[in-house]
Amino acid sequence: MENNSSTVGQNTFQIIKEDIIFGVLKPGLKLKLSALKQQYTVSVSILRETLNKLASEGFVEAKDQRGFYVATTSKEDFLEIANLRILLESYALELSINNGDSDWEGNLVSAHHKLSIAEKSIQTDHFFEKDIWKKCDHDFHQALIQACDSKNLLKLHSTLYDKYFRYEMLLLTFQGKEDTEHKDLLDAALNRDVKLAQRLLKNHIESAETYLLHAY
């Protein structure tokens, strides 16, 4: 029974987190337990646990005596998240390139292949799910740094990535694009060129950052 409850709780956490990231639950929205219970068909106790966990990751704000709210957004918050992502991911990328073996290379090539297919599909198929593209993009960036040999670093990066991606979804009507940025990153990593890979990563994040700032 405990295992089932844990599975339901984890699934609920992922679903609500995705709804926040993709803007289904808007910034500043009050998260009323009665409404959420009907929307997600789970118990109030699981919802409380889920919202507290989301609050610990910064996707939900818990206000004293006032309940839970979807975390608000701001230009300052976005810039901080973007800069932290560059610092953290660049450091993890260096460790990963230096430590990566043939398995890391194979997983990285596979992740890029899936992302490339998703990037092409989302341009031509208006019904292609954005969450599939998001997973492929996330998996590629995780694959880049997977060999950093630090669970804490990978977990921190994953949370920062989701926060950054939330701004992408909120500020832009994403229509997908196919470019060489991910392929260039892949090649630099496979060639073990740390400095080039870090420079490409920084440019990759900052190029999206420029568009997002214009949306404010």
Side-chain angles (χ1 to χ4, degrees), residues 37-183:
K37 183 180 178 181
Q38 290 187 336
Q39 185 173 349
Y40 297 102
T41 61
V42 292
S43 67
V44 170
S45 61
I46 286 179
L47 283 171
R48 287 187 184 277
E49 181 181 349
T50 296
L51 295 179
N52 278 312
K53 187 175 179 181
L54 287 167
S56 71
E57 291 195 3
F59 293 95
V60 165
E61 296 171 0
K63 300 182 180 180
D64 292 340
Q65 309 300 320
R66 295 175 57 193
F68 295 98
Y69 294 77
V70 176
T72 55
T73 60
S74 69
K75 183 183 294 187
E76 293 73 23
D77 181 60
F78 170 66
L79 286 172
E80 183 179 12
I81 289 169
N83 289 331
L84 283 173
R85 183 184 167 192
I86 290 171
L87 287 172
L88 197 68
E89 197 167 336
S90 293
Y91 173 61
L93 181 59
E94 179 178 4
L95 295 176
S96 193
I97 289 175
N98 289 333
N99 295 334
D101 56 14
S102 59
D103 287 337
W104 169 74
E105 291 181 353
N107 290 333
L108 181 56
V109 170
S110 175
H112 177 265
H113 177 65
K114 292 175 182 176
L115 174 58
S116 180
I117 292 173
E119 286 176 332
K120 292 174 182 176
S121 296
I122 205 168
Q123 289 182 88
T124 57
D125 183 359
H126 295 298
F127 296 100
F128 188 83
E129 297 293 334
K130 286 190 289 186
D131 59 337
I132 297 176
W133 175 83
K134 185 255 183 186
K135 183 180 187 305
C136 291
D137 189 79
H138 173 272
D139 288 351
F140 173 71
H141 282 276
Q142 282 288 100
L144 277 170
I145 64 172
Q146 195 65 44
C148 71
D149 291 335
S150 172
K151 291 182 180 179
N152 289 324
L153 194 51
L154 289 171
K155 186 175 181 180
L156 284 171
H157 169 265
S158 185
T159 299
L160 271 176
Y161 174 92
D162 283 344
K163 288 182 176 181
Y164 185 93
F165 193 87
R166 180 189 180 211
Y167 275 94
E168 285 192 302
M169 294 297 99
L170 290 173
L171 296 177
L172 295 177
T173 302
F174 182 77
Q175 296 178 347
K177 66 173 183 176
E178 183 188 1
D179 53 38
T180 64
E181 291 182 4
H182 287 125
K183 181 61 166 61

